[in-house]
Amino acid sequence: MFLGFILIGCKPKKQLPIVQSLHSNWLFHHPEKQQWYPATVPGNIFSDLLQNKLIEDPFIGINEEKVQWVSKTDWTYRSNFAVDKNILYKKNIVLNFKGLDTYANIYLNDSLILKTNNAFRSYSVDVKSILQKENQLQIEFSNTQGRELKAKEKLPYELPEGNRVFTRKAQFQYGWDWGPKLNTSGIWKNIYLKSWNDIVLSDVYISTNKLTKEKAILQSEVTINSEYEGSLKIITEVGKQQYSNVIDLEKGIHKYTIPLVVENPKLWWPHNIGEPYLYNIKIQLIKDRNVIDQKIMRYGLRTIELVTEKDSVGQSFYFKVNGTPVYAKGANYIPQNSFQSNVKKTHYEKLLSNAVDANMNMLRVWGGGIYENDVFYQLCDEKGILVWQDFMFACAMYPGNNNFLNNVQQETIEQVTRLRNHPCIALWCGNNENSEGWHRWGWQTGKTDVQKKEIWGNYLKVFDSILPHTVNRLSRQTPYWESSPKYGRGNSKYKTEGDAHDWWVWHDGFPFEHFQENVPRFMSEFGFQSFPSFETINFINQQDSVNINTEAIKSHQKHSRGFKLIKEYMQRDYPVPTSDEDYAYVSQLVQARGITMGIEAQRSAKPYNMGSLYWQLNDCWPAISWSSIDYFGNWKALHYKAKKAFNNILLSSKIEDNHIIVQLISDLPFLFKNDLFLKITDFNGNKFWSQKKTVNIQKNSNQIVGKISLDSLRVNLKKIVLVASIDTIENSYHYFVKPKELELKSHNINTKIEKVKGGFLIKLTTNSLQKDVFLHTKNKGHFSDNFFDMLPNHTKTIFFETKEKSLNNLKIKTLNSILQN
C-alpha cells in the first residue's frame, strides 16, 4: 500500500550500490604480429591500431582500402583488474557491458561467462561466485563475415541488401553512398561492476496522465530488484516539490506505481516556440534511514501526438506538442564518426548547437546508424530539439528466424526503456526505406511466390508486430510509424499521405523546380551533394592547396554518379569554374539553392505540408556528401541558407500566373503586427518599385502579403532583384532568372576588421549588389553569416568567432567574380 505525505525530518545517509569502472589496463592482441598492444576502452580496433601506428589513418587519402583486412580478422582484448573488499563482501555483484561490437565470447578468470551477438544491446552477468581480489577479463571478438556467411547459407534465397542484414550492428559501417566501409570491432561502450546487498533500483519510467495549465498528473513506475521483503520508503523530488510513499516490497523484480501531482506546471516546448523547461527529478529508496539507491534525471512535461487524419486529398502527417501543431524543421542525423568512441560530449554540444542556431527543431536519427548515446538525447531535451528516432534497420530485408526475432525483441525493449523518459522523443519509426525497397526497387525479382510471402511475412513480424507492440507497451505516449517513407516516390500517394523521401532530384536527375511543383505532406528526406570546406579537401589530400582531381578525393566520393550529377546540376543553373577552389565553392551554392528551394516550397504549402527534414546534417568522415556541416564542423553554404529558410518568420516569393507572389509564413505561437517592405531594384541600388505596408501576422500561419504583376516591370529581368523584409528578419531576395544568367557586376568589397572579445568584427561595404559572398580563412573559427547577398551602399557586419589573435588572411569569393571569369 502507499502512504503519501510530504517528507519532514533528518536527512538520510547514503549507502548506494558501488560502481567500479573497468576502463584501465586494456591490451589487444595482434594475431599476425603475435603481440599485445595498449588499447583504449571504450574504443574500437581501428582506433587502437591507429594509436599504436599499426595502420595509416583510414580517413586520409586512399587508406580506407588498405585497412579492409582489419574487419576480416578476429581480435582479442584483455584487462587485469583488482577489486576492493567492499565490493567482494556485497551479496550481489554484476558485471555490465553496455556495448560490445559484436560477436564476442567473454571470459572472467578463465571461465566463459557470456556470448554476445548484438552491438545495440547491453549485457549483465552475475559474477559473485567468480570474482576475486585480482582478476583477468578477456573478450574474444569474431569477425562478422564468417557468421554472416553461415546465416546466409541457411536460406534458400538471398536477402537484399547484402550480408549485413544478419548482424545487429551499425549498418552504415558496411559502406554507404556517403560513408566508408570500416566495419569496426571492439568494446565500444562502458564496462563496469555494480555491487549491492539486498535492494537495487532497476528503472524509473515517468508518464504524464493529464496535463493542464493548473496541474500535471504524473505516474512514476519504479522497478525494484529485491531480496528483501518488507516496508520500503520511496522519496520523489520533482523540482521543489517532494513526496514520500511507503510500499510493501516483495522479493524478486517488481514494478511499483507512484502517483505524482505538479501544481502550475511549466511545459517543455520545442525551442522555436517556447522554453524547453526541464524539471530536476530524484527518486530515492530509503531503508533503515539509509538511501540504498537512487536515480537522478531531468524530465520535461509535454504531450506528443502524430496526427494522421483523412482529408479531402489524402491523409495528414504532423506533430502536435502540448496540443499545438508544430511545423518540423531540420535534417537527418547520421553518426558523427565511423569510430563512435571518438565522438565526445563537445562534439555533441557543438553539432546540436549548430542545429539550434540554424532554427532546426527536429532531427531524424537515421536507421542505418546507431541508437545514440545518452548525452545526445539529454542535449536535445535541454535545447528543445524533437527527435524522430528510427529503429536501426535500413534499406534491406531482414531474416525472420526465432533467434533473430528474439534478439530484435530484446534490443527493442532495452532501447525503448532507455529513451522513453526523454521529452525530445517525438516518434519511433520502424525502419528506413525497407518497405519502399521491397515494393519498388526490384527486390522481389527472381523470388518465388512462397519466398516473397516468407520475406514479407518476416518484415511484418518485426515492423508490424514486435516493434509497435513493444513501443505501445513500454512507451505508450510516444507514437510509432512503420516505415519511412510511407510510400515510395513511384507511388502517386507519396505526395498526399504520410511522410515522403523525394529523390527524383539527384537520383533521377529532375530539376530543382520539381520541389516547387511536388510538395508532400511531410518531407522526411530530400538532398543534394556538394564538396566540403577547403580545410576538409586539404585534409583528405594532405596538401595545402585545393585539388579536387586526386585519387584521394575520388575515394571519398561514395556515390557512383556523384561527381557527374554535381556537374550536371551546376551546368543548369551556374557557371562551371575551371579553378578547383571556385568549383568547390559553386558546388556548395548549387546544393544550397536546390535544398532551400525545397524548404521554401514546403513551408509555403503549410498546413498541407508540416515538415521539412533534408538529407543530411553531418558527416561521419571527410567526404563529398549531402551534409550541410562537414566532418570538421564547418558550415557549408546550405547550413547558412537553411538557417534563413528555417527562420520562424519566412518571406518567400514565387512567380505564378505572371505575378510575383510574396508569402509570409509564421511558426510563432502568437500573432503580431509589423511593417513589410518590398522593393525592386537594380544591382546598383536604383529603385524601380517599392511598397510599405503594415501586416497582421497571424500565429502559426501562411498568408499572401504581396502580389506584383510582371507586366508592370518594364526592365531587364537579368538586372533586378526583389527585396522583401520586415524588422525582425533579414532581407529575402528573389531573382527573376537563374544565377548564371544574372548580369552581376564585379566590384571590390571593402573590409574593416576589428579585434573584439572572442574573435573579430568584420564590416563589409560595396557599391553594387554582391551575390553569395563567401568569407574564408585558414584560421580556425566560425563566421556568424556567410554565402550571403549584399546590397549596395549598406554595411554588413559579420562576427568571426575564433581563438586566433590575428586575422591577416581573410579572403572573399562572390558569384559576381565567378561570372566575370
Side-chain angles (χ1 to χ4, degrees), residues 7-115:
L7 180 67
I8 300 174
C10 300
K11 189 175 183 179
K13 296 180 180 180
K14 291 184 179 179
Q15 293 185 355
L16 302 173
I18 300 174
V19 175
Q20 179 179 336
S21 174
L22 300 181
H23 293 168
S24 303
N25 305 318
W26 281 95
L27 303 171
F28 75 95
H29 184 255
H30 195 300
E32 289 186 3
K33 295 184 179 294
Q34 290 299 304
Q35 290 186 40
W36 291 87
Y37 294 88
T40 299
V41 170
N44 66 86
I45 187 58
F46 284 99
S47 296
D48 288 332
L49 289 167
L50 184 60
Q51 188 173 0
N52 285 278
K53 299 181 179 179
L54 296 170
I55 60 171
E56 297 177 87
D57 190 339
F59 287 7
I60 292 174
I62 59 172
N63 292 339
E64 176 202 355
E65 62 188 62
K66 299 177 183 178
V67 298
Q68 292 306 305
W69 63 272
V70 175
S71 303
K72 302 173 185 176
T73 306
D74 298 339
W75 300 95
T76 300
Y77 283 73
R78 78 176 182 205
S79 173
N80 295 318
F81 65 95
V83 177
D84 188 86
K85 63 181 181 180
N86 290 332
I87 291 178
L88 291 173
Y89 290 163
K90 294 290 184 181
K91 294 180 182 179
N92 296 280
I93 309 174
V94 172
L95 180 55
N96 299 277
F97 303 89
K98 299 306 289 183
L100 298 175
D101 183 12
T102 294
Y103 300 109
N105 290 347
I106 297 96
Y107 297 85
L108 179 61
N109 299 329
D110 296 324
S111 294
L112 177 64
I113 60 170
L114 178 66
K115 293 184 177 183

Side-chain angles (χ1 to χ4, degrees), residues 392-406:
M392 292 302 116
F393 302 87
C395 303
M397 300 301 285
Y398 290 83
N401 59 77
N402 288 337
N403 288 338
F404 184 86
L405 296 179
N406 290 336

Side-chain angles (χ1 to χ4, degrees), residues 120 169-172 178 334-335 365-371 392-394:
F120 299 134
K169 65 170 295 176
Q171 302 283 272
F172 82 102
W178 40 259
I334 65 170
V365 178
W366 172 73
I370 62 172
Y371 304 98
M392 292 302 116
F393 302 87

Side-chain angles (χ1 to χ4, degrees), residues 178 354 358 528-534 536-537 556-557 566 584-585 587-593 596 614-619 621-643 774-775 782-783 785-788:
W178 40 259
N354 288 341
F528 196 87
Q529 278 196 0
S530 74
F531 280 85
S533 65
F534 297 159
T536 302
I537 293 171
H556 287 247
Q557 165 61 276
I566 290 173
Y585 158 68
S587 80
Q588 292 196 22
L589 299 184
V590 176
Q591 178 193 37
R593 172 177 163 82
T596 55
Y614 64 76
W615 183 271
Q616 66 204 64
L617 177 65
N618 59 301
D619 281 325
W621 79 319
I624 298 88
S625 82
W626 291 269
S627 71
S628 63
I629 300 177
D630 74 14
Y631 173 73
F632 288 109
N634 299 300
W635 287 26
K636 297 183 185 179
L638 171 56
H639 208 75
Y640 283 103
K641 291 180 182 286
K643 176 178 181 177
F774 170 45
L775 309 179
H782 176 69
F783 293 99
D785 196 9
N786 219 337
F787 301 94
F788 49 83

Side-chain angles (χ1 to χ4, degrees), residues 459-472:
Y459 171 96
L460 294 176
K461 288 177 184 177
V462 175
F463 304 111
D464 195 45
S465 182
I466 291 175
L467 301 190
H469 292 168
T470 303
V471 170
N472 291 337

Side-chain angles (χ1 to χ4, degrees), residues 546-549 567 570 574-586 813 817-819 821:
V546 174
N547 186 345
I548 62 173
N549 295 297
K567 187 171 184 178
M570 189 182 296
Y574 286 87
V576 180
T578 55
S579 156
D580 285 2
E581 263 199 16
D582 291 346
Y583 192 95
Y585 158 68
V586 174
K813 286 185 185 293
S817 60
I818 302 294
L819 285 166
N821 291 339

Side-chain angles (χ1 to χ4, degrees), residues 255-277:
K255 294 179 181 178
Y256 303 89
T257 300
I258 310 292
L260 303 170
V261 177
V262 178
E263 303 290 345
N264 302 311
K266 294 183 178 180
L267 304 187
W268 184 95
W269 292 94
H271 71 90
N272 69 309
I273 58 173
E275 180 187 3
Y277 187 85

